[in-house]
Amino acid sequence: MANPWIPPEQYVKKLPMHASFGCMFFTDTAGRVLQLRSCVKQHAQVWQWPGGNTDTENESPFETAVRECREETGIIFTGQPKLLAVFWQSVGQWPVAKLGLAFDGGQLTADELDRIALDPDEHDEFAVRSVDEWAKVMDTRWWQRLAAVHRAQQAGATAYLEMRSDGYW
C-alpha cells in the first residue's frame, strides 16, 4: 500500500532538525589562509574563518557567509558564490546536526588585510599563515578541515567532509 499524501506543514514536523552555517575562506596574495581568533567564551582561542550560523528561516548559507564576514571583519564581499566545501557535523556540543558551506572569498591584498576591523565581541585577533604554519597552532581536527578546504581551493574542486564520532573529518 502506498503512503498517503501528507501536507508539507505536517511532513516537515517529522523531518530531523539541523542548523546551518556559512563561512568565507580567504587567502592572501601569497596563498596563506586568513583566520580569526574567537574570544567568545565557548570558543575562546579557537581559530576560524569569517562566518556563522544562519539566523533566519529564509537566509541562505551564502547570505549568512557574506553577512557574517561583513559583521566580523568589515569585508564587504561582492563576488559570486563559489562553493569550496560542504560540512556535515552530527557530533559535538550541539543538540542537532550542523550543515555548513564554505565559500571562496578569493585573495586579499595587504591593503585589504590592513583594513580588517574585527568585531571585539567575537574575535580578538586575525592572522594569515601557511597551511603548515596553521598546523602548529590549531587542534588537529580543525586543521584537517582547513587543509582539505585549502586543497579544494587549489584544485578548483569542492570538498565534502563529515565529522566522525571520534571528532575527526
Side-chain angles (χ1 to χ4, degrees), residues 39-103:
C39 62
V40 177
K41 185 178 179 181
Q42 309 88 289
H43 305 290
Q45 305 299 310
V46 172
W47 289 97
Q48 52 195 204
W49 307 312
N53 292 318
T54 302
D55 284 345
T56 64
E57 186 176 320
N58 293 319
E59 184 179 56
S60 74
F62 180 67
E63 290 169 328
T64 299
V66 170
R67 174 184 53 77
E68 288 280 349
C69 183
R70 183 187 69 250
E71 291 172 3
E72 293 176 355
T73 67
I75 296 171
I76 300 171
F77 184 79
T78 58
Q80 295 298 310
K82 180 180 177 190
L83 185 63
L84 285 180
V86 177
F87 310 109
W88 178 254
Q89 298 169 235
S90 61
V91 296
Q93 297 176 355
W94 278 74
V96 297
K98 290 185 83 172
L99 175 67
L101 303 176
F103 298 94

